[in-house]
């Protein structure tokens, strides 16, 4: 086992002082050390997108990312997208459109959609489908997910 190293993780605007083994993934550290369990572990090998977080605003698969590479980066998880008790507009749209089924994939989808809307506020359905290409929904509820995200077009 490798020697542990100190790591200051900037998560949802707060610094977390941690000591981690260098081979541990960001997903492991988020779920097991910080207890930010909104980030899901699906396949654990880069195929499902359930573990998606934002690193400096860009969607990243946390199961394939070493935690120690996150020094100086800003990480956003689903716990960080709400404003107080108010859901993020993407979350509200998904609820409004009945797009949430078992919910397992939703953290990753919310974060991927948030990043998409920040760089393209009015995406077409095809652009939404492309952006969500790495996010697998095991209930296969894609149509309503796309509909919900497209409905936010033009909003901040
Ligand atoms: Fe990371 Fe599936 S858990 S892609």
């Amino acid at each position: 086992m490798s020697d542990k190293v100190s790591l200051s993780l900037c998560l949802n605007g707060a610094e977390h002082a941690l000591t981690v083994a260098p081979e541990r993934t960001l997903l492991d550290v988020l779920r097991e050390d910080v207890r930010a369990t909104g980030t899901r572990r699906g396949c654990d090998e880069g195929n499902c997108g359930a573990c998606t977080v934002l690193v400096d605003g860009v969607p990243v698969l946390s199961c394939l990312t070493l935690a120690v590479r996150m020094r100086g980066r800003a990480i956003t998880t689903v716990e960080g997208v709400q404003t107080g008790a108010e859901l993020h507009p993407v979350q509200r749209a998904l609820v409004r459109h009945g797009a949430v089924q078992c919910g397992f994939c939703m953290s990753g989808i919310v974060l991927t959609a948030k990043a998409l809307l920040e760089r393209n506020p009015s995406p077409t359905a095809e652009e939404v489908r492309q952006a969500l290409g790495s996010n697998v929904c095991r209930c296969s509820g894609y149509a309503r997910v796309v509909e919900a995200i497209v409905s936010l077009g033009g909003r901040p």
Side-chain angles (χ1 to χ4, degrees):
M1 187 144 156
S2 320
D3 289 340
K4 292 185 175 182
V5 296
S6 298
L7 172 67
S8 179
L9 200 65
C10 179
L11 174 63
N12 300 325
E15 292 291 334
H16 294 261
L18 304 167
T19 305
V20 302
E23 68 272 17
R24 290 184 73 212
T25 66
L26 178 59
L27 177 61
D28 288 340
V29 170
L30 288 172
R31 290 185 57 85
E32 296 162 18
D33 298 28
V34 186
R35 306 301 297 163
T37 54
T39 304
R40 305 297 189 199
R41 185 189 308 279
C43 65
D44 218 11
E45 55 186 23
N47 293 321
C48 75
C51 67
T52 302
V53 301
L54 301 182
V55 176
D56 297 333
V58 176
V60 163
L61 298 175
S62 61
C63 73
L64 298 183
T65 303
L66 291 175
V68 292
R69 302 283 305 272
M70 295 297 103
R71 283 194 178 95
R73 317 292 293 273
I75 301 159
T76 305
T77 63
V78 73
E79 289 91 346
V81 301
Q82 289 186 217
T83 306
E86 192 172 330
L87 293 176
H88 186 274
V90 171
Q91 293 172 308
R92 289 203 303 273
L94 290 166
V95 171
R96 207 168 45 243
H97 286 260
V100 181
Q101 295 184 68
C102 84
F104 192 82
C105 62
M106 280 296 143
S107 303
I109 286 177
V110 165
L111 290 163
T112 301
K114 178 179 184 301
L116 168 66
L117 290 164
E118 280 168 8
R119 67 175 192 276
N120 177 4
S122 301
T124 64
E126 183 52 31
E127 288 169 335
V128 172
R129 280 191 285 272
Q130 280 179 16
L132 292 176
S134 299
N135 294 87
V136 176
C137 169
R138 62 188 180 184
C139 308
S140 70
Y142 298 105
R144 288 186 181 184
V145 168
V146 171
E147 200 179 280
I149 297 167
V150 167
S151 78
L152 293 168
R155 296 184 199 178

